[in-house]
Structure formats: structure tokens, C-alpha cells
Amino acid sequence: MSGLRGESVVGVVEPFLMPVEDLFRLRQGRAVMATGRIERGLVRKGDPVEIIGLGCGATALIADIEQNHESIGEAGAAMNVGVLLSGIAADAVKRGQVLATPGSVGAHTRFTADITLLSEEQGGADVVTGDRLRFHTRAAAVRGTVALPEGTERVRPLHRAEVTVVLEEPVALEEGQPFAFRHHGRAAGSGTVMRLPR
């Protein structure tokens, strides 16, 4: 593996995953290069990847991998790279999606989360059922509606609660995944995905 950090301690390579942070249209818009920092796993030229979230579920092939404007044969976790995708319309790829080993992660609009609000001085404000928040996870930013547990009227700054979130667009989510959220246009708190629909 030539020093790439795509392996776990026992030597089993985790499924590849890279958030799409930026895009470059090439060849008069007929090709697209997605850039980002590989979160885990290993990817090689010719590998199939699934484009997940924000309305896409298509599969593309890795035509090339670039690091510092040089073509490389493979890339692993923690590397910042650009990957040239083939077999996909250039306008199908967006910031906020993820590229991943096919079948390894799903896109969801609904999840249960444990959230903690910032202090009022930091931007935290009361959250009640029905509030629309802006959720930020990996490179995605999507609005969603929050529902508090039955019998809980509100969550106050510096408090935590288990809530249900319904997003307006599907994004790649996994249990244990961290996120931040904004309320009334200000940073308001953070959370962790606890459960996803089965």
C-alpha cells in the first residue's frame, strides 16, 4: 500500500469515501473533476464509485486521480486529491455529495440525533418542534425540520436532547456521523447521528 492510510489496524481496507468539496468542468463541460479530502479507504484508477446524496445515486468510473497537478495511480485516506469521473453527466455532480464504494453508504432524509446547543453568547437559541435548521455535515449544507421528544416543549441553550430530523434533500449519512447546525442564520449547535431508518 506504499504508506497509504486506507487500512485499519488489522489490515482490512475500509470502503472508500470522499466528500465532494469542489468541482472543475473540463473538456468544454463534458467531463468533471471532483476534489476533496479522502475520509477513508483507498481508490485506484478504473474503480467504480457511487455518487451519493442531493438527488444522485449514479455510478461513475475513476478515469484519473491527481494530487498537486500530477497524475497518480491510487490514493488513500487523508489525501487531498482530484478525481476525474467518466460515465456520468458533468452536471450530475455537486458539492455536498460523496463519492464512495458502491453500496457502502446510503443517502437519507430522516434520522435521530443527539444535539447540544451553544450558549446564547455563542449563537444558541431555543429550539422547538417545527423549527427549520440548516444542517452542515461533511461538505453538505441542507435545511431540515426538527421534532423534539413527546413531552419536551423546547431545548434551551447549553442543553442537549435526542431529536428527530427530516431533511429537505437526501444526504449521505452514517450512524455516529457528526454535524453542526445553524438557527436564525447563526451557528447554534452540533450533534451526532444516532439512528437511521432500517
Side-chain angles (χ1 to χ4, degrees):
M1 293 296 174
S2 63
L4 296 175
R5 292 192 289 159
E7 297 185 49
S8 69
V9 176
V10 293
V12 177
V13 178
E14 295 181 288
F16 166 74
L17 188 144
M18 184 188 93
V20 176
E21 297 173 4
D22 206 353
L23 295 162
F24 297 93
R25 313 288 180 195
L26 308 172
R27 301 171 190 164
Q28 289 77 47
R30 296 191 302 275
V32 61
M33 177 170 281
T35 65
R37 184 176 188 270
I38 297 175
E39 188 173 305
R40 65 172 184 244
L42 184 74
V43 68
R44 297 181 177 91
K45 288 183 186 180
D47 282 355
V49 292
E50 192 173 0
I51 302 159
I52 302 161
L54 305 181
C56 192
T59 301
L61 290 177
I62 302 292
D64 197 9
I65 306 169
E66 288 189 5
Q67 185 181 42
N68 299 325
H69 305 291
E70 292 188 8
S71 180
I72 57 177
E74 63 181 36
M79 292 176 66
N80 288 293
V81 297
V83 292
L84 183 65
L85 301 173
S86 67
I88 186 77
D91 59 1
V93 190
K94 305 173 187 174
R95 173 181 166 83
Q97 294 170 333
V98 303
L99 306 180
T101 299
S104 63
V105 62
H108 300 272
T109 55
R110 186 182 183 90
F111 61 96
T112 302
D114 182 37
I115 64 167
T116 302
L117 301 187
L118 297 173
S119 68
E120 288 185 59
E121 293 75 20
Q122 294 172 308
D126 287 5
V127 170
V128 301
T129 292
D131 275 348
R132 281 181 81 228
L133 309 176
R134 190 167 180 84
F135 293 87
H136 297 260
T137 182
R138 294 188 173 110
V142 179
R143 291 196 179 279
T145 304
V146 65
L148 306 185
E150 190 173 344
T152 302
E153 291 186 4
R154 64 186 63 244
V155 184
R156 299 188 182 279
L158 289 178
H159 286 69
R160 62 185 292 185
E162 187 173 292
V163 301
T164 301
V165 177
V166 178
L167 300 175
E168 294 177 7
E169 292 184 274
V171 296
L173 292 175
E174 299 171 287
E175 292 179 354
Q177 186 172 321
F179 61 87
F181 58 90
R182 299 176 71 84
H183 192 22
H184 304 309
R186 301 176 63 187
S190 60
T192 304
V193 176
M194 303 296 290
R195 291 186 298 281
L196 293 167
R198 297 300 180 193

